[in-house]
Amino acid sequence: MKLRQRWVVGVLLVIAATWFTVALLSGQVPAGLMILSAGVADEPHLSISNRKIAADYTSGEEDNEDDEKTSDEIRAEMRKKGLPYDSTLYFAANSRRHLVPFKKVENRNKFEALFRDFPSGNRVPKLDRKDYLVRYREPQKHKKIWEIFHSNINRYEMYSFNNTALFTEYLDYLGTVPILKARGKSGGTQVKLFLVFADGGEALVKPWRVPREYETLPDHYYFADIERHTAEIAAFHLDRILDFRRVPPNAGRIFNLSTDILEHADSELAKLFYRSPAKNLCFMTECEQHCDPNENPVCGNPDTVEGSVAAFLPAEKEAKRASWTHPFKRSYSRKDKAVWETDPNYCKRVVMLQHPYNSGRRLLDIVDLAIADFFAGNLDRHSYNTYKIFGNFSTVIHLDHGRGFGKYKTDDLSCIVPITQCCIIRKSTYERLLILQRDEYKLGDVMRQSMSTDRIFPVLYEPHYDALNRRLDIVIEAVRKCISNAESEEDVLKLEPRIEDYVETQPPDDET
């Protein structure tokens, strides 16, 4: 190439490089040259909050620049985003370059087919008035959606099978109804808010704390793990899909901390709000874990934050609950183990001989609860509740799931010890699990589709759906092993106990 030609080419290259640099700095680079994924923000069905979440779950190429940032620069960005920038919790999950993209839900065909093709195996017998928890004298005067929910709670279920109309209206209600009052829940392990709505309804809020892909740190014990609002939402959908019907409705909601919470906060909560150096609105309630306002406050961006909204159950004065120590409670110790963790015969030697597990439905309920906790990876199950009015022949209430869905790479088999040691399970539960193992009703796919209508979808990080399918296989294999070792299948797969056959062996409120 001649000298003149080389000079011309060199000048053109300098001009092109200068133009690209200027365009990049001004944000005018043509779409085809952008490194960031274009198209996610253009999805018409995504809210502003959803678009940001969607952007977080693309290929993650935009985060490659983090390799060249100092920790102080990353912390500064975390401050702007309202993230717990000074906590090891976030830095443990800070590498977001290899995020698994979430799958878009084009339809809900598997979810709809599951409820269309199979009736409930957990059928409720004919109910008398005494079988209902709330007995309004004038039912026609109690037509608010939360009153309808309360009036349907009975001895056997929190809500009826595939009650789509109730769910659609109630979940929308939880995500949109105007807020009248807000106050902090003090004394608990982690930050929570109580809300009173304009129509008198109430709810419990757990705000966003960690990114969806954050996994429980290997060196953190289950009783010190941070709670996730997404776990509460997912637990409700899982409960519905498994046909247990024991978890109160729970929906995601995007809050403006200023207009939704602070303006309606009581004096105690209001004084806990402040503006961070990044001008984000933050707060922290009085609680025991992850509650230092200097380390990991709840912050908006600048005022917006998402959370889970759980439906309140009837007031304690109307529907007193009994609290029971879980028969497979963990030691909650860094050094000691519970007896059942070292004694493989514990269930048959101790639990199955004790009240109320030696008759009725209670032990089968505990096994169902163990399955739900195993699917969610929830090790924090120290107690459970029942309603006193129904005595000891009533369904177990499934509450407190915030420490679930914290791991998706590993499975904690200790969660299913009630299955492997007791070797009994409801026949209807086992049949439901076999259905959810089939490709056309695959548990992970049905869960994704079920939650696709939530306001903060995607609710779970994508690998959790694969973990659900994997854990489903593990439970089915555990039951099959029990059957192979039993004298007959009926020794393992139990029909639903009947109240007519139940004899109370001790007073119903022998626990608090």
Side-chain angles (χ1 to χ4, degrees):
M1 184 181 291
K2 296 181 179 180
L3 181 61
R4 181 183 180 88
Q5 292 173 321
R6 292 177 180 174
W7 182 84
V8 172
V9 171
V11 170
L12 291 175
L13 289 174
V14 171
I15 293 173
T18 302
W19 170 84
F20 185 83
T21 302
V22 172
L24 181 63
L25 293 174
S26 62
Q28 301 299 317
V29 180
L33 297 177
M34 287 294 286
I35 298 176
L36 299 179
S37 175
V40 173
D42 295 329
E43 291 295 331
H45 64 281
L46 295 176
S47 67
I48 293 175
S49 176
N50 292 138
R51 289 175 186 170
K52 182 188 181 302
I53 295 169
D56 286 344
Y57 289 85
T58 55
S59 64
E61 294 175 353
E62 64 269 33
D63 290 319
N64 287 338
E65 60 189 37
D66 284 348
D67 290 339
E68 300 177 3
K69 292 180 180 177
T70 66
S71 60
D72 287 340
E73 289 173 330
I74 295 175
R75 289 175 190 271
E77 288 190 2
M78 294 306 99
R79 290 188 184 97
K80 292 178 182 179
K81 295 178 180 179
L83 299 176
Y85 51 86
D86 283 327
S87 169
T88 56
L89 289 172
Y90 186 79
F91 278 91
N94 191 43
S95 179
R96 309 184 79 192
R97 295 182 298 279
H98 306 293
L99 294 181
V100 179
F102 77 93
K103 295 181 180 179
K104 293 183 180 180
V105 176
E106 303 294 343
N107 57 61
R108 304 175 83 202
N109 56 349
K110 291 189 178 182
F111 171 82
E112 293 168 354
L114 174 66
F115 287 94
R116 181 190 65 238
D117 297 348
F118 299 96
S120 173
N122 185 15
R123 297 180 181 178
V124 173
K126 185 178 180 180
L127 300 175
D128 295 324
R129 179 177 171 80
K130 68 178 185 300
D131 292 318
Y132 286 96
L133 183 64
V134 178
R135 303 157 191 175
Y136 295 124
R137 292 183 178 180
E138 299 179 275
Q140 68 276 9
K141 293 183 179 181
H142 300 273
K143 295 299 183 183
K144 296 172 183 175
I145 186 63
W146 56 272
E147 291 176 321
I148 295 173
F149 166 61
H150 287 177
S151 66
N152 285 329
I153 299 174
N154 59 66
R155 180 188 297 274
Y156 302 97
E157 60 186 3
M158 189 80 67
Y159 53 85
S160 58
F161 177 74
N162 196 27
N163 194 337
T164 304
L166 174 66
F167 289 135
T168 301
E169 185 176 353
Y170 204 0
L171 296 181
D172 182 68
Y173 166 89
L174 293 172
T176 61
V177 64
I179 297 168
L180 182 64
K181 298 177 183 178
R183 63 182 175 89
K185 182 181 183 298
S186 61
T189 57
Q190 303 198 28
V191 58
K192 302 177 185 70
L193 296 175
F194 284 135
L195 299 183
V196 177
F197 298 131
D199 68 347
E202 296 176 290
L204 179 69
V205 171
K206 292 187 179 181
W208 181 98
R209 304 310 311 277
V210 290
R212 281 162 170 73
E213 76 278 7
Y214 166 74
E215 278 200 287
T216 302
L217 299 179
D219 292 328
H220 275 203
Y221 285 91
Y222 54 89
F223 50 81
D225 195 12
I226 197 165
E227 292 192 0
R228 301 160 182 81
H229 66 298
T230 51
E232 295 286 0
I233 299 167
F236 164 68
H237 288 265
L238 179 62
D239 177 72
R240 183 184 180 191
I241 291 166
L242 293 175
D243 195 23
F244 292 160
R245 312 199 295 276
R246 298 163 198 165
V247 177
N250 202 308
R253 180 164 178 161
I254 300 171
F255 293 94
N256 182 302
L257 289 178
S258 178
T259 59
D260 290 335
I261 306 299
L262 182 55
E263 286 186 9
H264 306 287
D266 64 11
S267 58
E268 291 298 314
L269 177 60
K271 68 183 182 182
L272 300 175
F273 277 80
Y274 63 93
R275 285 284 174 186
S276 71
K279 308 304 181 184
N280 294 323
L281 186 60
C282 305
F283 77 96
M284 177 53 63
T285 61
E286 296 180 6
C287 51
E288 298 174 3
Q289 298 176 346
H290 310 290
C291 303
D292 188 336
N294 297 315
E295 291 289 330
N296 42 24
V298 176
C299 292
N301 186 18
D303 288 16
T304 303
V305 70
E306 63 181 45
S308 63
V309 187
F312 249 35
L313 296 174
E316 184 73 14
K317 63 180 181 180
E318 299 175 1
K320 293 183 179 180
R321 295 179 222 164
S323 179
W324 301 79
T325 300
H326 196 290
F328 293 92
K329 177 185 175 181
R330 298 173 191 278
S331 67
Y332 285 78
S333 167
R334 293 178 176 86
K335 297 181 179 180
D336 301 325
K337 288 188 175 182
V339 177
W340 59 267
E341 294 182 274
T342 57
D343 181 359
N345 298 312
Y346 177 78
C347 181
K348 294 181 178 179
R349 184 178 62 82
V350 178
V351 178
M352 297 180 81
L353 302 179
Q354 287 181 340
H355 170 81
Y357 309 106
N358 56 358
S359 62
R361 57 175 289 156
R362 187 66 59 83
L363 186 55
L364 293 174
D365 284 356
I366 292 299
V367 170
D368 284 348
L369 181 57
I371 292 171
D373 282 339
F374 177 62
F375 285 160
N378 180 21
L379 280 64
D380 185 30
R381 185 63 66 191
H382 49 79
S383 61
Y384 65 90
N385 297 96
T386 60
Y387 282 114
K388 289 187 176 183
I389 193 174
F390 299 134
N392 287 322
F393 196 92
S394 70
T395 187
V396 167
I397 307 168
H398 293 191
L399 303 173
D400 258 346
H401 312 277
R403 286 184 170 134
F405 294 97
K407 293 184 178 181
Y408 44 82
K409 296 174 185 174
T410 58
D411 312 310
D412 198 311
L413 299 181
S414 66
C415 287
I416 57 170
V417 162
I419 297 178
T420 57
Q421 285 194 12
C422 305
C423 266
I424 65 169
I425 186 175
R426 275 187 173 88
K427 184 178 181 180
S428 60
T429 296
Y430 183 59
E431 290 173 346
R432 188 73 169 183
L433 298 180
L434 294 177
I435 293 170
L436 293 169
Q437 194 181 39
R438 295 160 58 176
D439 286 341
E440 58 267 43
Y441 313 104
K442 204 71 171 177
L443 176 58
D445 295 336
V446 173
M447 273 287 287
R448 187 190 299 106
Q449 291 177 11
S450 179
M451 294 188 289
S452 65
T453 57
D454 195 277
R455 280 176 167 74
I456 64 168
F457 178 82
V459 176
L460 293 179
Y461 184 40
E462 192 63 32
H464 282 295
Y465 300 111
D466 292 331
L468 283 169
N469 294 332
R470 183 178 67 244
R471 292 164 187 168
L472 173 63
D473 292 341
I474 291 173
V475 171
I476 290 175
E477 181 57 33
V479 176
R480 285 174 174 164
K481 184 176 180 180
C482 285
I483 293 173
S484 67
N485 293 332
E487 291 185 6
S488 69
E489 186 177 272
E490 290 74 21
D491 291 338
V492 178
L493 305 182
K494 299 296 184 179
L495 297 177
E496 187 65 32
R498 302 190 315 159
I499 192 170
E500 303 94 295
D501 303 327
Y502 178 68
V503 178
E504 192 76 69
T505 57
Q506 288 188 27
D509 47 350
D510 56 337
E511 295 214 8
T512 60

